[in-house]
């Protein structure tokens, strides 16, 4: 049987090579929804990152499709209900980029605390404004982690090594694991008022949409710093903008946005906000891990097996 797989977002070459050993592979990135709908009928497998929107219309046009692989953790760009109705298996690579996203969060937190991007831009302009970039230490500060899954837990270990105090909220928290790590479990109502830094590591679902908004921000410490390297939409950007302008929130570090790229969002223009273009998983190591994982799962499924996280 000659299978055909479409790779519609940039994927590490190692994964594509594994697939090429098994079937025909087309790499076509940057397709519009209409372009994807026109060609998807030819393919047995589709591999994506977060760029391709695998909508109901795409799925409906996918007559031969048996597998959609998401080279990463979040599957919010794939219409899972539509895929399930068509009997298409959707699999992700949930662990391959955990450390990359965790380290990016740490880098964002440290950069936010010490104004590193702003200071870099200032030095580049020929300025030497040492007092304008007074920072704060991470040592002894309270880090509130909302969402204590893979990334949240790895981050907790590293933050504790920096001698931060770590508190966490997760409705499904593993209390034993939190205790072992030295993390205090709290409700959100308890966490918001005590944290100096708040970082979110949840999926974007109904319960987490705009979890950080004007009402919850009002309960936070004055001068809190907020980090989002999970999903845009967990924070209400317009409420965060207002809270920064009013001085309630000292700053924010954002890797993800309600709309990507965040062209219409005012928040990225604020001096107190540092931003990266959804780079959490962008390390050589993570991209290799997730590409190899989805390529192997794709082959397993097309051979008639089931997807397992390989
Ligand atoms: P995970 O599934 O291991 O952890 C998510 C945690 O969120 C779980 O423990 C879950 O119980 C918890 N949760 C669910 N609902 C919640 C709620 N209402 N309040 C608080 N916690 C809740 O996922 P992960 O691998 O740690 O990834 C976390 C997030 O980071 C995901 O949104 C993922 O897509 C995103 N991510 C982003 C990047 C990036 O490039 N920026 C990279 C990797 C992952
Ligand atoms: C993920 O959910 O894994 C991240 O968004 C990273 C990516 O864009 O692949």
């Amino acid at each position: 049987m000659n299978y055909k797989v479409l790779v519609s977002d940039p994927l590490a070459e190692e994964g594509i090579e594994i697939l090429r050993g098994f079937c025909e592979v087309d790499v076509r990135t940057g397709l519009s929804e209409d372009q994807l709908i026109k060609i998807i009928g030819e393919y047995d497998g589709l591999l994506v990152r977060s760029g391709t929107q695998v909508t109901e219309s795409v799925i409906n046009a996918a007559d031969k499709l048996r597998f959609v692989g998401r080279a990463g953790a979040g599957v919010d760009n794939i219409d899972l209900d539509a895929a399930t109705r068509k009997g298409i298996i959707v699999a992700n690579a949930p662990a391959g980029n955990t450390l990359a996203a965790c380290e990016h969060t740490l880098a964002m937190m440290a950069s936010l605390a010490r104004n590193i991007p702003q200071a870099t831009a200032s030095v580049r302009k020929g300025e030497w404004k040492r007092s304008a970039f007074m920072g704060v230490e991470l040592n002894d500060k309270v880090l509130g982690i909302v969402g204590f899954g893979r990334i949240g837990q790895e981050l907790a270990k590293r933050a504790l090594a920096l001698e931060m105090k770590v508190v966490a909220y997760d409705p499904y928290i593993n209390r034993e694991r939190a205790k072992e790590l030295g993390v205090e479990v709290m409700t959100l109502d308890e966490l918001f008022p005590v944290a100096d830094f708040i970082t979110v590591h949840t999926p974007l679902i109904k319960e987490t949409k705009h979890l950080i908004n004007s009402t919850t921000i009002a309960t936070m410490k004055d001068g809190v710093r907020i980090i989002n390297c999970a999903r845009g939409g967990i924070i209400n950007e317009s409420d965060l903008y207002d809270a920064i302008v009013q001085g309630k929130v000292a700053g924010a570090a954002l890797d993800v946005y309600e709309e990507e790229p965040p062209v219409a969002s005012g928040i990225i223009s604020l001096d107190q906000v540092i931003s990266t273009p959804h780079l959490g998983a962008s390390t050589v190591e993570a991209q290799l891990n997730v590409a190899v994982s989805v390529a192997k799962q794709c082959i397993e499924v097309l051979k008639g097996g089931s997807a397992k996280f390989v």
Side-chain angles (χ1 to χ4, degrees):
M1 182 81 187
N2 281 340
Y3 295 114
K4 267 182 94 172
V5 171
L6 175 65
V7 176
S8 62
D9 286 320
L11 208 69
E13 203 45 46
E14 288 83 350
I16 294 172
E17 279 312 306
I18 289 173
L19 275 175
R20 287 212 163 107
F22 171 76
C23 63
E24 197 180 325
V25 183
D26 288 340
V27 180
R28 297 184 63 180
T29 59
L31 296 170
S32 67
E33 186 182 19
D34 282 349
Q35 288 170 319
L36 186 55
I37 288 171
K38 277 201 187 101
I39 62 168
I40 194 67
E42 299 170 36
Y43 294 97
D44 306 279
L46 171 66
L47 301 192
V48 302
R49 279 188 64 191
S50 57
T52 303
Q53 299 304 309
V54 189
T55 58
E56 184 170 16
S57 312
V58 171
I59 301 271
N60 286 343
D63 292 333
K64 286 166 64 185
L65 200 66
R66 288 171 49 200
F67 178 81
V68 179
R70 164 69 165 95
V75 286
D76 39 330
N77 55 322
I78 302 167
D79 190 325
L80 296 178
D81 291 339
T84 306
R85 280 197 297 275
K86 267 204 132 180
I88 296 167
I89 293 176
V90 178
N92 62 348
N97 60 28
T98 300
L99 293 181
C102 162
E103 289 185 5
H104 194 71
T105 308
L106 263 184
M108 292 292 258
M109 181 165 64
S111 302
L112 184 63
R114 302 304 291 269
N115 305 301
I116 289 173
Q118 298 92 329
T120 303
S122 166
V123 173
R124 192 164 287 153
K125 280 197 283 180
E127 298 169 349
W128 196 251
K129 292 180 164 174
R130 296 179 67 205
S131 56
F133 298 115
M134 183 67 75
V136 292
E137 290 176 10
L138 299 180
N139 183 64
D140 241 5
K141 294 295 186 306
V142 178
L143 172 64
I145 301 181
V146 180
F148 201 61
R150 278 177 291 262
I151 298 168
Q153 290 179 36
E154 288 299 333
L155 181 68
K157 285 195 238 167
R158 286 154 180 81
L160 287 162
L162 294 172
E163 306 207 349
M164 297 184 85
K165 178 170 186 233
V166 181
V167 301
Y169 166 73
D170 188 316
Y172 310 105
I173 203 156
N174 179 338
R175 286 177 181 271
E176 273 308 299
R177 177 79 183 127
K179 198 171 163 200
E180 247 170 54
L181 289 173
V183 171
E184 190 178 343
V185 177
M186 289 187 168
T187 63
L188 268 189
D189 289 347
E190 289 166 341
L191 182 150
F192 284 145
V194 297
D196 300 290
F197 291 82
I198 294 174
T199 181
V200 291
H201 298 284
T202 70
L204 176 63
I205 48 178
K206 196 166 40 69
E207 294 77 13
T208 60
K209 169 106 182 158
H210 291 174
L211 184 88
I212 294 191
N213 57 49
S214 56
T215 310
T216 52
I217 290 173
T219 68
M220 292 175 191
K221 248 189 183 178
D222 290 345
V224 63
R225 290 175 169 81
I226 297 176
I227 304 144
N228 186 2
C229 291
R231 277 291 176 272
I234 298 171
I235 298 179
N236 181 322
E237 271 170 25
S238 139
D239 289 359
L240 179 60
Y241 177 98
D242 291 343
I244 293 172
V245 170
Q246 288 154 11
K248 169 75 183 175
V249 172
L254 305 176
D255 184 46
V256 289
Y257 308 86
E258 294 198 70
E259 197 190 321
E260 294 186 7
V263 277
S265 172
I267 197 145
I268 52 170
S269 66
L270 294 177
D271 288 341
Q272 301 92 325
V273 174
I274 65 172
S275 351
T276 48
H278 203 143
L279 292 185
S282 294
T283 63
V284 173
E285 296 85 350
Q287 286 313 306
L288 189 145
N289 291 342
V290 296
V292 168
S293 170
V294 286
K296 288 186 175 171
Q297 293 185 80
C298 181
I299 293 170
E300 275 307 307
V301 169
L302 295 185
K303 277 173 150 175
S306 56
K308 9 184 159 39
F309 304 126
V310 274

